[in-house]
Amino acid sequence: MVRDFVLDVEQGAFVSFLGPSGCGKTTTLRMIAGFETPSGGTIHINRRDITRLRPNQRDVGMVFQSYALFPNMTVAGNVAFGLKIAKRPPAEVKQRVEEMLTLVKLPQLADRYPHQLSGGQQQRVALARALSIKPQVLLLDEPLSALDAKIRLSVREEIRALQRELGITTIYVTHDQEEALSMSDRIVVMNDGRIEQVGTPFDIYNFPRTRFVASFVGTLNILRGKVIDPAAGRIAVDDQEIVAARAIEGAKPGDIRSLAIRPEVVSMVTDGGAGNRMHGTVEHVNFLGSVVRVRVRFGENSLLLDTFNHPSVAPPVQGQPAVVGFAPENVLVLDGTEVG
């Protein structure tokens, strides 16, 4: 169920719906496409109410998760399908199919059938088919989920390059944070049928407004602290005082708040120096090749931090004392008071 969903999408923008399975992102996409009917509210494209129109009347193109290519049709036949349904002249259909297959770099495969194509090639045929009818809006429902990691990376770059070249308004459904962050002009983070936050990738990652957004997008440390001085941004975590760059709005001394800190902004430091300092013990060291991920425990709370691997510097050892540092501007106090 999707509730209280209000969103304006600018013409030519690439917008991603991001969220876990069952959050309502595909249902919303299917309502835009006309495969689901909303129980309330309206959907407009270029100020035209399309809420009750059939899918083929909406001027949208859709790429499905499974591609949904017709197995008994050639590549050219699949791309031409929407044009033939629209009763376009044969010469126009032929020219448009050639244009689309050139656009997706598959002109040499026009006579092949879907079972003769790789997953990446099938995805590009599905994209060419959706674009062949010159839709005002392109809808993509997790189109890369069936591809392996290396192919997925190259195809998503192709999709974004095509979208920019054509300037077509695009809505992209994904549960993959990296896809959304790397491809989108704006991200709509969804949870339990509602919008949690809308913003640019930069804002969504660096300034999450809710605990869900903070924990879902990227790796994140969540700490619990007791507010000391809300106006000064002072808060105690396991009896160690740290400072946020901003005042803690709506809080009073003694309130319990959640803090969000990204691992990449935390470093192991000496006791002196500017910024926040916390004393703890190395709880776990995970060697990941170019990066060493370290967990430092303070008491109830712990922090993950990432350091670059260097052959001349030995990684920390489990059980050793550690001092970690991070700047006040990297401490994000999340909305909502918790009961202490």
Side-chain angles (χ1 to χ4, degrees):
M1 181 183 292
V2 178
R3 294 160 286 182
D4 304 323
F5 191 99
V6 179
L7 180 70
D8 290 322
V9 177
E10 295 180 1
Q11 186 172 357
F14 193 113
V15 176
S16 291
F17 292 171
L18 174 66
S21 297
C23 72
K25 55 189 186 294
T26 293
T27 299
T28 304
L29 196 79
R30 289 177 61 84
M31 284 192 284
I32 298 170
F35 301 127
E36 303 277 354
T37 303
S39 57
T42 58
I43 303 168
H44 293 79
I45 296 179
N46 282 349
R47 299 184 178 87
R48 174 180 172 233
D49 188 344
I50 65 166
T51 312
R52 303 299 167 186
L53 297 182
R54 294 191 300 271
N56 64 344
Q57 298 175 317
R58 296 187 175 217
D59 202 10
V60 301
M62 186 158 180
V63 178
F64 297 90
Q65 185 174 350
S66 61
Y67 315 140
L69 299 177
F70 300 109
N72 61 329
M73 291 185 185
T74 64
V75 166
N78 269 279
V79 177
F81 180 78
L83 297 166
K84 290 180 177 179
I85 291 295
K87 298 184 176 5
R88 308 310 301 171
E92 180 184 332
V93 172
K94 184 175 183 296
Q95 179 183 355
R96 186 63 177 164
V97 169
E98 290 174 354
E99 289 175 357
M100 287 297 97
L101 291 181
T102 299
L103 189 67
V104 298
K105 303 183 177 70
L106 294 176
Q108 74 283 8
L109 301 182
D111 295 327
R112 292 195 184 180
Y113 288 86
H115 73 272
Q116 297 173 306
L117 305 178
S118 68
Q121 290 169 338
Q122 290 183 45
Q123 192 277 339
R124 282 188 272 172
V125 173
L127 185 60
R129 182 178 63 184
L131 292 170
S132 67
I133 59 173
K134 297 183 179 179
Q136 292 190 64
V137 179
L138 177 64
L139 308 174
L140 301 105
D141 184 12
E142 303 207 42
L144 309 183
S145 60
L147 304 178
D148 64 51
K150 189 172 290 187
I151 297 296
R152 190 183 306 134
L153 179 60
S154 64
V155 174
R156 84 182 186 204
E157 290 173 352
E158 291 174 9
I159 289 175
R160 187 57 164 130
L162 273 176
Q163 188 270 335
R164 285 183 172 134
E165 180 181 342
L166 298 173
I168 186 171
T169 306
T170 300
I171 299 178
Y172 188 98
V173 162
T174 182
H175 64 272
D176 188 306
Q177 308 157 32
E178 187 176 308
E179 277 183 15
L181 291 169
S182 65
M183 298 176 74
S184 311
D185 296 313
R186 283 200 299 162
I187 297 174
V188 180
V189 183
M190 296 183 64
N191 181 39
D192 194 26
R194 292 188 173 92
I195 293 176
E196 288 272 339
Q197 185 173 345
V198 180
T200 65
F202 181 86
D203 287 337
I204 292 291
Y205 186 86
N206 291 300
F207 306 108
R209 293 177 188 162
T210 68
R211 181 167 186 154
F212 174 81
V213 176
S215 59
F216 187 77
V217 181
T219 304
L220 192 72
N221 293 297
I222 298 288
L223 311 178
R224 289 180 83 247
K226 182 177 291 186
V227 176
I228 299 173
D229 184 343
R234 294 168 53 210
I235 191 165
V237 177
D238 288 322
D239 298 322
Q240 300 188 56
E241 184 178 322
I242 61 174
V243 179
R246 300 176 183 176
I248 306 171
E249 296 182 2
K252 61 183 184 296
D255 283 349
I256 304 299
R257 286 292 177 94
S258 293
L259 317 177
I261 305 173
R262 298 287 183 192
E264 64 266 26
V265 303
V266 184
S267 58
M268 298 187 71
V269 296
T270 57
D271 196 8
N276 292 307
R277 296 289 185 268
M278 292 189 70
H279 295 254
T281 303
V282 174
E283 183 176 56
H284 184 71
V285 180
N286 193 7
F287 183 76
L288 302 174
S290 61
V291 171
V292 180
R293 177 159 289 178
V294 182
R295 180 182 294 279
V296 177
R297 171 69 59 183
F298 309 107
E300 176 189 335
N301 294 277
S302 65
L303 272 177
L304 281 176
L305 62 99
D306 292 337
T307 62
F308 285 111
N309 172 41
H310 196 287
S312 64
V313 180
V317 177
Q318 183 176 344
Q320 78 177 51
V323 181
V324 300
F326 45 91
E329 56 266 27
N330 292 321
V331 179
L332 181 66
V333 183
L334 302 178
D335 292 341
T337 301
E338 298 179 19
V339 179

